[in-house]
């Protein structure tokens, strides 16, 4: 029991990039913003890594199914043009995906993007799971993301974890994963990055 409590406290310290959000957009706002995906169906695990310590700071999951959404559990990315419900951001065009990544790639953090092509059925299941998950408590971003992944057929081998690097390393072992790292040198945090995006 003590080991579990200690692990949870350590996770809370490490995952300082995860913070609860209060925004819940209306059904109409979500429906108006839907971006229908016409490209391949795929999943992309997005991990923020501290450049100084090498520790993971946040996990998110881009789901490209019939529509493209971003499951950003307990994330701090908010923009008036992107509706959000239950920690799912809607209207995720490729431009908005790049903006999300750029807002997180700061002088103190870089972003690891791991893409894997999946079947339409796998992508549909991922979409269903993230939409049903609901808001995630602070510091539970990776726990929630890994919990979703392990319920998708073909991803059952993913172990649920509180640690972004652990999940990133597990994901890297999946066949067909394509990994890129994004470095930028902007100061400040995610909210500063969002503020610089404009409209």
């Amino acid at each position: 029991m003590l080991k579990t409590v200690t692990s949870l406290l350590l996770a809370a310290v490490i995952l300082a990039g995860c913070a609860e959000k209060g925004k819940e957009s209306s059904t109409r706002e979500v429906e108006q913003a839907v971006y229908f995906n016409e490209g391949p169906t795929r999943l992309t695990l997005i991990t923020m890594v501290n450049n100084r310590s090498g520790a993971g700071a946040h996990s998110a999951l881009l789901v490209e199914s019939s529509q493209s959404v971003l499951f950003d559990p307990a994330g701090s990315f908010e923009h008036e043009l992107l509706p959000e419900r239950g920690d799912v951001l809607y209207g995720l065009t490729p431009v908005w995906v790049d903006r999300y990544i750029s807002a997180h790639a700061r002088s103190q953090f870089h972003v690891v993007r791991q893409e894997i092509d999946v079947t339409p059925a796998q992508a549909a299941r991922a979409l269903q799971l993230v939409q049903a998950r609901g808001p995630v408590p602070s510091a539970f971003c990776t726990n929630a993301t890994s919990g979703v992944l392990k319920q998708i057929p073909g991803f059952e081998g993913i172990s649920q974890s509180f640690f972004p690097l652990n999940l990133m390393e597990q994901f890297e072992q999946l066949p067909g994963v394509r990994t890129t790292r994004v470095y930028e040198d902007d100061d400040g945090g995610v909210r500063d990055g969002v503020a610089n995006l404009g409209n």
Side-chain angles (χ1 to χ4, degrees), residues 19 65 73 89 96 138 151-156 164-165 169:
S65 179
L89 296 168
W96 274 110
S138 179
Q151 296 179 69
I152 301 168
F155 292 79
E156 298 93 343
L165 292 187
E169 290 163 0

Side-chain angles (χ1 to χ4, degrees), residues 9-33:
L9 290 173
L10 180 59
V13 171
I14 290 175
L15 305 180
C18 298
E20 290 183 76
K21 293 181 280 190
K23 180 179 177 183
E24 284 290 311
S25 302
S26 69
T27 300
R28 182 177 179 181
E29 289 173 317
V30 168
E31 290 173 348
Q32 289 178 336

Side-chain angles (χ1 to χ4, degrees), residues 24-173:
E24 284 290 311
S25 302
S26 69
T27 300
R28 182 177 179 181
E29 289 173 317
V30 168
E31 290 173 348
Q32 289 178 336
V34 166
Y35 173 67
F36 295 102
N37 175 41
E38 297 180 356
T41 49
R42 65 168 60 109
L43 302 177
T44 303
L45 179 65
I46 300 172
T47 307
M48 291 47 155
V49 181
N50 188 300
N51 290 330
R52 294 176 182 170
S53 68
H58 185 58
S59 300
L61 183 67
L62 175 66
V63 178
E64 294 174 271
S65 179
S66 56
Q67 62 171 299
S68 294
V69 304
L70 181 72
F71 181 49
D72 189 31
S76 53
F77 186 93
E78 293 181 354
H79 195 282
E80 61 186 12
L81 296 181
L82 285 185
E84 179 177 352
R85 294 191 81 179
D87 283 353
V88 177
L89 296 168
Y90 291 85
L92 263 292
T93 66
V95 169
W96 274 110
V97 173
D98 288 344
R99 288 177 172 179
Y100 175 87
I101 289 173
S102 180
H104 284 83
R106 320 300 296 167
S107 59
Q108 293 184 3
F109 297 92
H110 71 274
V111 179
V112 180
R113 179 176 182 166
Q114 296 170 292
E115 297 179 337
I116 186 168
D117 293 335
V118 295
T119 67
Q122 288 172 308
R125 177 61 174 153
L127 179 61
Q128 176 190 47
L129 287 166
V130 298
Q131 289 179 315
R133 179 61 179 79
V136 175
S138 179
F140 277 73
C141 59
T142 304
N143 183 268
T145 303
S146 56
V148 164
L149 283 168
K150 67 181 296 184
Q151 296 179 69
I152 301 168
F155 292 79
E156 298 93 343
I158 295 287
S159 298
Q160 201 155 357
S161 174
F162 277 93
F163 300 98
L165 292 187
N166 176 271
L167 179 58
M168 185 181 79
E169 290 163 0
Q170 291 186 66
F171 205 83
E172 188 66 34
Q173 301 308 309

